Amino acid sequence: MKPFKLALFWLAFFATYLIIALAGYSLIPEGALVDIAMKYKPDITNEGWDNFMGYLIFIGSALVNAILIWIVVSIYQRSQAKGH
């Protein structure tokens, strides 16, 4: 694979990571999660909650993006194998 094509793939997957992370921030029902968290840890601070949500969204986005990369690469490899 040429370096230019590899760089385009990297930029595409980075863009999907950002889209997934932004979607996570806008679509996760934070109010419901706060209620659940308050049942188990009633003394959680705002800073602690922000840290938890940040870790949850960024790690979740990385996992979803890794699965997406795996799917795309496997489809790409199958198409390359059929071509040869």
Side-chain angles (χ1 to χ4, degrees):
M1 184 178 296
K2 294 182 180 181
F4 180 73
K5 195 172 187 181
L6 188 62
L8 286 178
F9 277 133
W10 188 90
L11 287 173
F13 288 125
F14 181 70
T16 59
Y17 174 79
L18 288 177
I19 290 168
I20 293 167
L22 292 173
Y25 273 114
S26 62
L27 298 176
I28 290 179
E30 196 171 345
L33 289 177
V34 168
D35 292 339
I36 293 169
M38 292 298 262
K39 288 180 185 176
Y40 296 104
K41 190 173 180 189
D43 60 341
I44 193 166
T45 63
N46 285 340
E47 183 180 347
W49 178 252
D50 290 341
N51 289 339
F52 171 75
M53 282 302 294
Y55 292 141
L56 178 73
I57 289 174
F58 288 126
I59 291 171
S61 298
L63 290 174
V64 170
N65 201 38
I67 292 168
L68 178 67
I69 291 169
W70 179 74
I71 291 169
V72 169
V73 168
S74 65
I75 291 170
Y76 179 77
Q77 287 177 342
R78 285 185 196 150
S79 70
Q80 292 297 318
K82 287 181 184 179
H84 292 274

